[in-house]
Amino acid sequence: MILGIEGVSCVGKTTLAAMLTPHLNWPAVIPCYFHASPDPTRLPAPEPFTPDHQLANIARFLDVEDLRLARARQALAEGRDVILDRTVDTLLAHAHAVGRMNGFDCDDQAQHAVTSRAVAMPDLTVVLTADPDVLARRARLRKGMPTIFYDRHFSEHFNGYFDHPLASVVVRLDTTTGSPEELAERTLDHLRRHLGEHTLREAS
């Protein structure tokens, strides 16, 4: 199966993926677009100011998605589970958010660009959220983090996109309070509910 973990930066996606690994079937964790890119320095800036720039950015990220999809397919062929640190819905959520913040709307064109390509689509997507003040405190510990990624308006629009995502099954979990272990157990509960007990194994 493929599990997607979504949310804005500093919300706990990587931590959750690590906590889930012992409970899944030798999962392959596919890194986010930045870390999956052969050259992250060539990725576009996070805040385009026109629809054309945003759509061009999505096209470049979809080239990285080709690499992530190949890794996901290989893992599935080996009988392994897959954890996606961000999914293609991230690209659409980002376009939705920056469009609302900069006065344009390219949501339909962005969705067409994504759905016209083969992509890794999760069986279940977990969207992590957190209080904006908590995100800002976490972000200050990350050197060079672009401010847009923890702007409360960006977070609001990004999370709002997931009311109507491409993913067929989406659950939201708040990470403002609680331990990583508690968050992992809540995620495992949703996996059992939506995908069945057989998707999990005993932690070793």
Side-chain angles (χ1 to χ4, degrees):
M1 66 93 188
I2 301 179
L3 171 68
I5 304 178
E6 273 294 350
V8 297
S9 296
C10 302
V11 81
K13 296 183 297 297
T14 303
T15 299
L16 176 59
M19 296 297 298
L20 292 174
T21 295
H23 300 277
L24 302 181
N25 188 33
W26 296 278
V29 179
I30 310 299
C32 69
Y33 292 87
F34 181 84
H35 290 105
S37 172
D39 185 359
T41 64
R42 298 180 64 85
L43 292 176
E47 190 169 7
F49 294 100
T50 69
D52 287 344
H53 286 159
Q54 177 59 76
L55 294 171
N57 289 358
I58 286 177
R60 293 173 67 180
F61 278 109
L62 285 173
D63 290 339
V64 181
E65 177 63 14
D66 289 342
L67 304 177
R68 300 172 83 234
L69 175 61
R71 293 178 62 176
R73 283 175 167 168
Q74 179 63 36
L76 293 173
E78 295 168 354
R80 303 170 66 189
D81 288 329
V82 172
I83 301 175
L84 297 175
D85 184 344
R86 296 195 179 278
T87 72
V88 291
D89 271 316
T90 268
L91 307 181
L92 300 179
H94 186 99
H96 177 80
V98 298
R100 298 306 179 276
M101 295 175 71
N102 292 294
F104 65 82
D105 182 348
C106 64
D107 288 9
D108 290 344
Q109 300 99 308
Q111 181 168 319
H112 176 74
V114 170
T115 56
S116 65
R117 302 270 290 261
V119 298
M121 186 56 60
D123 299 292
L124 172 69
T125 295
V126 176
V127 180
L128 303 182
T129 61
D131 179 89
D133 292 333
V134 171
L135 290 176
R137 287 197 298 271
R138 294 174 184 172
R140 281 194 287 271
L141 300 176
R142 293 195 186 182
K143 184 178 180 180
M145 173 68 70
T147 57
I148 186 175
F149 288 148
Y150 56 93
D151 180 284
R152 67 177 56 242
H153 299 296
F154 177 83
S155 295
E156 176 185 351
H157 294 306
F158 184 98
N159 293 332
Y161 162 82
F162 284 94
D163 290 340
H164 304 285
L166 294 181
S168 59
V169 183
V170 172
V171 297
R172 300 174 190 257
L173 296 178
D174 192 325
T175 69
T176 302
T177 59
S179 68
E181 292 80 8
E182 290 169 335
L183 178 62
E185 188 53 45
R186 290 160 61 196
T187 302
L188 292 171
D189 285 342
H190 283 290
L191 281 170
R192 295 183 186 101
R193 186 175 308 142
H194 293 286
L195 303 181
E197 192 73 34
H198 66 280
T199 62
L200 306 181
R201 65 182 179 90
E202 293 297 323
S204 57

